[in-house]
């Protein structure tokens, strides 16, 4: 097979450093495409030990994810993002989403929250804010009205608040906290939707 032939050329010693590096990368990609994920991870590691390239490193994360090894997928994605950071490359949304998905599948709620925090830092879209704020609200030990109002304020400010009930609940809490002006503003915004 093609991957085996490429492997022998890597070890033969005929290639200069740049060609050898490219060949190692090609072997990792060929194994990945042929669904030999353990071999792909092995060759990704060979490549990235010489050239820490996040675009190649993410192959290992995907390989683990496909095999439902979510813990190692998360580890490889952390390596991917660290390589990107070292090179001054911002993390790609797909990497962050895959990391969040791997941590979710691994049932690691604190890691999912950190992932969402990283996502909103780079991609502050309302859907990510909604997910983050809902998760924070669920995991809070002390759910006082003040805390709930603060969460609603964040949702309101980031346009993550969309349900009519959320606007009403925020206005009710604001009224109970003796903040009638804030309650009125929230209800006016709800009417404008």
């Amino acid at each position: 097979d093609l991957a085996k032939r490429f492997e022998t050329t890597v070890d033969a010693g005929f290639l200069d450093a740049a060609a050898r590096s490219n060949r190692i990368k090609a072997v990792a990609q060929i194994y990945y495409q042929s669904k030999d994920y353990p071999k792909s991870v092995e060759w990704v590691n060979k490549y990235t030990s010489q050239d820490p390239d996040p675009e190649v490193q993410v192959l290992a994360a995907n390989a683990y994810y496909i095999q439902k090894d979510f813990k190692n997928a998360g580890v490889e994605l952390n390596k991917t993002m660290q390589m990107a950071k070292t090179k001054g490359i911002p993390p790609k949304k797909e990497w962050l989403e895959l990391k969040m998905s791997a941590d979710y599948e691994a049932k690691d709620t604190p890691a999912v929250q950190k992932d969402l925090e990283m996502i909103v830092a780079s991609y502050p879209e309302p859907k990510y804010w909604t997910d983050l704020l809902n998760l924070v609200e669920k995991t809070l030990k002390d759910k006082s009205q003040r805390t709930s109002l603060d969460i609603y304020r964040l949702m309101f400010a980031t346009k993550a608040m969309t349900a009519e009930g959320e606007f009403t609940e925020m206005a009710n809490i604001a009224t109970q906290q003796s903040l009638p002006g804030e309650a009125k503003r929230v209800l006016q915004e709800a009417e404008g939707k």
Side-chain angles (χ1 to χ4, degrees):
D1 87 5
L2 182 62
K4 292 281 186 210
R5 282 184 266 153
F6 271 38
E7 271 190 57
T8 57
T9 63
V10 167
D11 297 329
F14 299 119
L15 302 172
D16 65 23
R20 185 175 188 277
S21 181
N22 286 335
R23 189 61 55 99
I24 292 171
K25 179 179 174 181
V27 171
Q29 291 169 330
I30 292 167
Y31 276 126
Y32 182 83
Q33 290 169 352
S34 64
K35 299 180 186 306
D36 188 342
Y37 300 119
K39 284 295 243 178
S40 179
V41 169
E42 176 188 331
W43 283 84
V44 164
N45 290 332
K46 282 183 186 184
Y47 180 81
T48 57
S49 69
Q50 298 168 23
D51 180 8
D53 182 347
E55 294 290 344
V56 176
Q57 184 65 40
V58 78
L59 277 179
N62 282 317
Y64 280 121
Y65 190 91
I66 289 167
Q67 297 175 91
K68 299 189 183 322
D69 184 345
F70 302 115
K71 184 177 180 191
N72 278 319
V75 168
E76 296 300 324
L77 284 157
N78 284 335
K79 288 182 194 175
T80 300
M81 288 183 269
Q82 186 56 49
M83 287 177 188
K85 184 178 180 182
T86 300
K87 291 187 171 209
I89 301 168
K92 290 188 173 183
K93 189 192 307 190
E94 306 86 63
W95 301 345
L96 295 168
E97 289 174 336
L98 186 61
K99 173 84 167 74
M100 182 177 61
S101 180
D103 289 335
Y104 175 81
E105 293 293 341
K107 298 182 181 3
D108 188 345
T109 303
V112 171
Q113 183 173 331
K114 286 181 182 176
D115 298 335
L116 280 165
E117 290 167 2
M118 288 192 309
I119 291 172
V120 298
S122 298
Y123 305 95
E125 298 169 20
K127 70 178 183 170
Y128 298 125
W129 275 108
T130 300
D131 291 345
L132 175 60
L133 294 170
N134 285 335
L135 182 61
V136 168
E137 187 175 35
K138 285 178 188 170
T139 58
L140 281 176
K141 306 251 187 290
D142 169 33
K143 260 180 138 172
S144 67
Q145 279 194 333
R146 179 78 182 156
T147 303
S148 293
L149 182 58
D150 287 340
I151 289 172
Y152 279 127
R153 284 174 175 154
L154 272 169
M155 291 175 74
F156 187 77
T158 60
K159 309 281 189 237
M161 187 180 293
T162 56
E164 187 176 319
E166 293 169 334
F167 289 98
T168 306
E169 179 66 18
M170 182 179 177
N172 287 338
I173 294 171
T175 301
Q176 291 168 10
Q177 296 289 316
S178 300
L179 300 166
E182 185 171 5
K184 181 180 178 183
R185 192 183 62 180
V186 169
L187 291 174
Q188 286 172 338
E189 178 74 22
E191 289 172 8
K193 291 219 171 264

